[in-house]
Amino acid sequence: MKIVAIETSCDETAFAVVSVSGPSSAPRFRILKNIVASQVKIHAPFGGVVPNLAKREHLKNLPLLLKQIDPRGTLGKNIDMIAVTVGPGLEPALWTGIQFAQELSQKWNVPLAGANHIKGHLYSFLLSPATARLRAERKKLFPAIGLVVSGGHTILVLAKDLHHYVKLGETYDDAVGESFDKVARLLNLPYPGGPALEQLAKKGNPRAIPFPAPMMNQKNYNFSYSGLKTAVLYYLRNLGAAANDFSPSAEQKKQLARIERRGTVAADVAASFQYAAFHVLTAKTIRAVREYGAQTVFIGGGVSANKELPRLLKEELKKNKMDLPIIIPPFTYCQDNAVMIAVAAYMDGVQGVSWPLRADGTLDLTN
Ligand code: KG4
Ligand code: ZN
């Protein structure tokens, strides 16, 4: 079957054409078209996504992208389904995609299905060559632990099989990607902060500053990232105050000397923050792997583009004498895209799961 998918939940307008073959227990997705129009430059001066600007850009981009994927206007003739993100995300942005998809569905006379953005990130592991390889080797994939780490979500999931998921825990406040963006802003890094912070962290020492790893010792699978961001804020403020202080502490003196000597303090802050943020993610993932006897771990969402996360997870798994595959989607499918929306809509369709065609900013993983 052939699916056209549309994604407009945040600041990327995305279109994809995906063909699906094989049994529903092991579907194969062939990406025929995949276009993403990023709005990063428009939102960058504001340091974050402005919902009404996002809406305006989606309205402008959607017909342009359709023209790009269907220059001759013939695509509708051999499409079986249109899929569109209905949530979670920014509601004004979501509505633009839903309305555009509704018009297309009428024009082409093709059924329209709503899709869940979080499920899109979760199912992105199906787009990884690692999944195909494990299947070819007849390795067991499930039960699996899934991690969705993005600008809006930090969710740990138990996947009993390809179709059955249970949410084990999530963040109480900021998402991990959001905390990367906020800390990046404190460090005067360009928007979006995550990739810039990862680059800066490579030059720093992750053990230089012992930032708190929140909720680390709580025996649940929940997370909290707003305290970590505040700890970074206070740390930087203290340093700033010490610079104007005639009697800084010995530790502050040491840090100030380092700023003057090598300008490395920002890199150390970035590396130490990143370590604290990922340490708690990896520790809870490993605990879940052990508790549920997971065969694989898969990670999706914007933060899965960060190479340090799987590296640290692998290192920690090794320390715990565990060896299991970590599946990450190819870079293009870590970030928001419409291919994952086609995948999520297909996977829900075969299970008879449907989502109302109504923008829902706080849509959960299960309905
Ligand atoms: O999945 P995504 O594109 O959109 C949402 O659904 O939120 O994720 C965007 C988030 C942003 O917070 C961005 O800073 C973060 O993913 N991100 C990263 C990296 N690349 C993107 N965070 C850490 N390291 C990265 N390399
Ligand atoms: Zn996303």
Side-chain angles (χ1 to χ4, degrees):
M1 89 182 287
K2 226 184 210 182
I3 304 171
V4 162
I6 299 172
E7 152 67 37
T8 61
S9 69
C10 193
D11 60 344
E12 324 275 12
T13 321
F15 246 102
V17 186
V18 176
S19 104
V20 194
S21 60
S24 64
S25 56
R28 278 192 305 277
F29 298 95
R30 203 151 63 88
I31 292 101
L32 306 175
K33 295 264 167 68
N34 175 32
I35 311 183
V36 180
S38 170
Q39 303 175 7
V40 161
K41 281 197 186 126
I42 286 150
H43 299 287
F46 303 95
V49 181
V50 184
N52 276 329
L53 277 184
K55 174 183 166 176
R56 191 192 72 188
E57 287 302 300
H58 288 314
L59 284 171
K60 192 181 85 193
N61 289 338
L62 282 163
L64 298 177
L65 295 197
L66 178 63
K67 254 238 144 66
Q68 269 188 55
I69 63 161
D70 184 22
R72 274 176 269 136
T74 53
L75 183 65
K77 289 198 187 106
N78 54 6
I79 290 297
D80 302 289
M81 174 165 94
I82 301 173
V84 64
T85 310
V86 294
L90 305 168
E91 289 189 1
L94 289 163
W95 275 121
T96 62
I98 296 170
Q99 276 158 4
F100 194 84
Q102 277 168 330
E103 283 164 24
L104 212 53
S105 156
Q106 275 182 1
K107 190 169 132 196
W108 289 352
N109 195 22
V110 168
L112 174 60
N116 182 320
H117 186 91
I118 308 175
K119 273 197 156 172
H121 281 309
L122 201 57
Y123 274 125
S124 294
F125 77 94
L126 291 172
L127 300 166
S128 167
T131 303
R133 205 172 46 242
L134 290 167
R135 272 190 186 142
E137 292 167 0
R138 305 202 168 275
K139 294 261 167 63
K140 232 177 132 200
L141 295 174
F142 299 98
I145 296 299
L147 250 184
V148 177
V149 279
S150 70
H153 299 93
T154 310
I155 306 178
L156 196 70
V157 165
L158 166 66
K160 294 179 182 170
D161 56 41
L162 192 53
H163 298 289
H164 296 95
Y165 293 87
V166 182
K167 192 198 278 180
L168 297 177
E170 63 189 321
T171 182
Y172 284 137
D173 40 57
D174 291 355
V176 60
E178 186 180 359
S179 74
F180 266 77
D181 294 334
K182 288 180 175 170
V183 169
R185 220 179 310 171
L186 295 176
L187 294 172
N188 290 322
L189 295 173
Y191 172 86
L197 199 145
E198 181 188 4
Q199 290 313 314
L200 181 61
K202 284 183 184 160
K203 299 180 203 143
N205 172 7
R207 310 295 165 125
I209 307 150
F211 287 128
M215 319 260 310
M216 185 73 176
N217 298 316
Q218 293 192 16
K219 297 261 171 272
N220 58 30
Y221 292 113
N222 293 320
F223 306 94
S224 164
Y225 280 100
S226 78
L228 175 56
K229 170 212 66 197
T230 310
V232 175
L233 173 71
Y234 286 159
Y235 181 83
L236 293 171
R237 255 194 210 157
N238 271 341
L239 279 185
N244 300 318
D245 192 345
F246 292 113
S247 53
S249 69
E251 180 55 26
Q252 285 171 329
K253 265 190 196 153
K254 236 169 39 196
Q255 292 287 3
L256 288 167
R258 295 176 69 186
I259 302 177
E260 283 157 19
R261 256 201 335 265
R262 294 187 282 137
T264 57
V265 84
D268 281 352
V269 170
S272 302
F273 156 77
Q274 181 172 263
Y275 176 74
F278 287 166
H279 187 41
V280 65
L281 270 180
T282 53
K284 294 211 171 187
T285 302
I286 289 171
R287 197 191 298 155
V289 164
R290 185 173 286 127
E291 183 171 348
Y292 297 100
Q295 304 294 310
T296 53
V297 173
F298 49 82
I299 313 179
V303 183
S304 65
N306 186 308
K307 298 274 187 296
E308 181 59 12
L309 178 56
R311 198 205 59 76
L312 191 65
L313 182 55
K314 206 172 242 166
E315 187 178 283
E316 293 293 316
L317 281 167
K318 208 166 163 194
K319 271 191 212 156
N320 284 273
K321 309 238 172 322
M322 292 173 174
D323 180 22
L324 65 162
I326 301 165
I327 309 177
I328 311 240
F331 179 77
T332 331
Y333 308 122
C334 293
Q335 319 280 343
D336 285 352
N337 65 88
V339 172
M340 70 179 198
I341 297 308
V343 174
Y346 173 81
M347 298 306 288
D348 276 342
V350 294
Q351 285 292 296
V353 174
S354 66
W355 303 91
L357 286 162
R358 180 178 72 231
D360 183 347
T362 57
L363 194 71
D364 209 342
L365 185 59
T366 47
N367 56 5

